[in-house]
Amino acid sequence: MILPGTFVQPDIEQGLGAGDEHLIFGNNGLFIDLTGVESGTTTYSFADEVATAQLGDNDGELDFADTRTTFPCFAKGTLIETDAGPRPVETLTPGVGVLTADGAVLPIRWVQGRLAEFADTDDRHRPILFSPGSLDSDLPRRPLIVSPQHRIVVRTRCGALVLTPAKALLSRPGVRLMRGLSQTIYYAILLDQHAILLSEGAPTESFYPGPTVLRDLPPLQRATILRLFPALRTNPSGGYGPFALPVLSVTEGRSLPIPARPTPKSASARPGHVGKTIPAWSGAPVARGGDAVSAPPRLAV
């Protein structure tokens, strides 16, 4: 069924996508009128329905994107370290305190699950599995499954700690694409600041709501994040704050050496975390712009 331009308020009435003079109704067989577009396949994203600078401008122009893109997330079942011990990500709720790699406890501000489905011929968005010991001699402790864009803490040649997307590490032993899955549920964990979480014991990032990710979110989820962090409305690129560690691109991550697996060390947690043991990362210099700096953020606990 083809719908011409309408005058309804689709964000309110449908809770899905609308943009400029266009209307889309999700998965119930309805489509929009793309008058003047040549024949072919066209995909419309949820990116242009909010009249917020750089997040959708309602300017009468359609914006297009790949709606199958998945934002950085943990797969259902991933154990996340909290102040009460490890918990499956799907059981976490706002207000729960998660333990960061530097020993701090930060409350969850927003957590969201999202069903992701994968076409048989398209591997771009399939989850990536890190086998036990593939990141360090004993990390992750259990299989860790994340979306391809989820950033993992690794070391550079000079030993600096950086973040790189999971898909950049596919050439490493014990890391593989999960081609056998047709779907999974991804969960994002948003904190007051970007932080390094412990997922299956391994250091990985919390959700970072940058401009590209915000554009790909469904409108209701995006609106929630904008209410929690209103600075993102006027400053999508920097309104949330800095990254917890320097970030490498996929190409840069692929160029990193595959390190020998050292003998692991452990350290008791700080007071207030009695009985917990988490990895004792050495607190090596953090790379910034390819250089090492003194007095970096410490990951050691």
Side-chain angles (χ1 to χ4, degrees):
M1 177 178 179
I2 301 297
L3 298 179
T6 67
F7 296 95
V8 300
Q9 296 180 351
D11 286 347
I12 297 174
E13 298 183 21
Q14 302 298 329
L16 291 170
D20 304 323
E21 298 79 47
H22 325 292
L23 184 64
I24 187 168
F25 288 89
N27 299 319
N28 58 5
L30 304 182
F31 194 52
I32 59 176
D33 181 8
L34 295 177
T35 303
V37 176
E38 297 180 0
S39 61
T41 300
T42 303
T43 301
Y44 178 69
S45 76
F46 291 140
D48 199 36
E49 76 278 9
V50 177
T52 301
Q54 301 183 46
L55 297 178
D57 47 21
N58 286 353
D59 59 359
E61 301 291 335
L62 270 175
D63 290 342
F64 295 96
D66 187 346
T67 57
R68 293 168 296 180
T69 299
T70 54
F71 49 81
C73 294
F74 301 101
K76 181 179 179 180
T78 302
L79 293 181
I80 304 297
E81 195 70 35
T82 74
D83 56 356
R87 288 180 53 177
V89 64
E90 65 271 20
T91 70
L92 300 178
T93 57
V96 170
V98 291
L99 190 65
T100 67
D102 61 1
V105 175
L106 298 177
I108 294 174
R109 295 296 305 279
W110 176 84
V111 60
Q112 182 68 51
R114 184 180 186 183
L115 176 66
E117 298 177 305
F118 315 110
D120 291 341
T121 58
D122 188 354
D123 289 340
R124 290 176 297 166
H125 310 299
R126 291 186 185 278
I128 293 175
L129 182 146
F130 290 81
S131 300
S134 59
L135 291 172
D136 205 334
S137 58
D138 60 352
L139 296 177
R141 298 190 185 106
R142 303 192 318 156
L144 171 64
I145 302 172
V146 297
S147 62
Q149 297 85 0
H150 202 117
R151 299 183 184 100
I152 311 295
V153 176
V154 293
R155 292 186 183 276
T156 65
R157 287 180 174 83
C158 66
L161 297 168
V162 295
L163 285 161
T164 196
K167 61 184 177 182
L169 306 176
L170 280 170
S171 63
R172 299 192 175 203
V175 183
R176 66 176 179 86
L177 202 62
M178 299 185 73
R179 290 192 171 91
L181 284 183
S182 60
Q183 64 179 35
T184 192
I185 301 178
Y186 284 131
Y187 289 85
I189 301 173
L190 179 65
L191 310 175
D192 279 321
Q193 64 195 55
H194 193 235
I196 305 303
L197 304 178
L198 297 171
S199 53
E200 304 296 355
T204 56
E205 69 169 342
S206 63
F207 182 70
Y208 189 94
T212 300
V213 171
L214 284 173
R215 286 175 63 91
D216 286 339
L217 285 173
L220 294 180
Q221 295 179 17
R222 181 168 59 250
T224 298
I225 292 176
L226 293 177
R227 284 196 300 270
L228 291 172
F229 301 95
L232 288 169
R233 294 183 180 275
T234 55
N235 185 10
S237 298
Y240 181 63
F243 287 98
L245 288 173
V247 172
L248 301 186
S249 67
V250 173
T251 300
E252 291 169 332
R254 286 172 177 162
S255 69
L256 293 175
I258 299 176
R261 297 178 180 176
T263 301
K265 295 182 290 182
S266 62
S268 297
R270 295 175 178 175
H273 306 293
V274 176
K276 295 189 181 304
T277 301
I278 54 181
W281 294 85
S282 67
V286 175
R288 299 195 184 280
D291 298 322
V293 298
S294 60
R298 291 189 62 201
L299 288 189
V301 295

